Amino acid sequence: MDSNDISFENLPRAVAHLVSEIAEIKFLVERKEPPIIPVKRIPIDIAEACQIIGKAKPTVYTLVRKRLIPCYKNGKKLYFFEDELLDWISKGKKKTLQEIQSEAEASFRKNSRKANVDSNQNLQR
């Protein structure tokens, strides 16, 4: 609410607005959490990207050329963001044998239920 809009007629609305603002501030203070401030994403160069992902420069250039790694180009210089590189690494996770087995069992159960439903429908016809 704008301070210029306060008049006798809209005084109750102004007070209600102030009460809600105070309640929000009180809630933040009680939780003792700092306000959320967006983190600035600072681009890094290829040398830092090589250190993060543990690859040599020629390998990174090859990944960029094949468009397999997230990057940005401005002029002749390549830029990367650390969070994107870490996400790229995490997407390449190899499944454990236990994960593969549990997925196979779940798929088998799903397909066997579907086969049972289909066979029951054929028997009813």
Side-chain angles (χ1 to χ4, degrees):
M1 170 154 242
D2 192 17
S3 61
N4 295 336
D5 293 343
I6 297 177
S7 66
F8 186 74
E9 290 80 30
N10 62 13
L11 189 59
R13 192 169 6 126
V15 171
H17 176 72
L18 289 174
V19 167
S20 68
E21 292 287 318
I22 291 172
E24 186 177 337
I25 292 170
K26 183 179 175 184
F27 177 74
L28 289 173
V29 169
E30 286 174 350
R31 287 178 47 190
K32 294 181 182 178
E33 290 185 12
I36 298 171
I37 300 171
V39 179
K40 282 187 178 180
R41 292 178 59 196
I42 299 172
I44 57 175
D45 64 358
I46 191 161
E48 291 176 84
C50 291
Q51 286 180 340
I52 290 172
I53 63 173
K55 305 263 186 213
K57 273 188 185 181
T59 305
V60 174
Y61 281 122
T62 301
L63 292 170
V64 168
R65 185 173 35 85
K66 292 181 177 179
R67 297 184 182 266
L68 296 174
I69 190 169
C71 70
Y72 301 86
K73 189 171 183 181
N74 190 359
K76 293 184 177 183
K77 191 156 171 125
L78 287 174
Y79 297 98
F80 304 86
F81 287 106
E82 185 176 352
D83 59 331
E84 289 181 352
L85 291 175
L86 296 175
D87 286 342
W88 174 76
I89 291 170
S90 67
K91 287 179 183 173
K93 179 184 180 279
K94 298 281 186 187
K95 294 181 183 178
T96 63
L97 289 176
Q98 187 177 16
E99 291 172 331
I100 293 169
Q101 185 177 4
S102 63
E103 286 179 5
E105 289 172 356
S107 177
F108 178 75
R109 277 187 248 123
K110 179 182 174 185
N111 289 336
S112 65
R113 285 186 203 136
K114 185 178 178 183
N116 288 339
V117 169
D118 290 343
S119 64
N120 288 340
Q121 288 176 349
N122 288 338
L123 290 175
Q124 291 175 355
R125 290 183 190 175

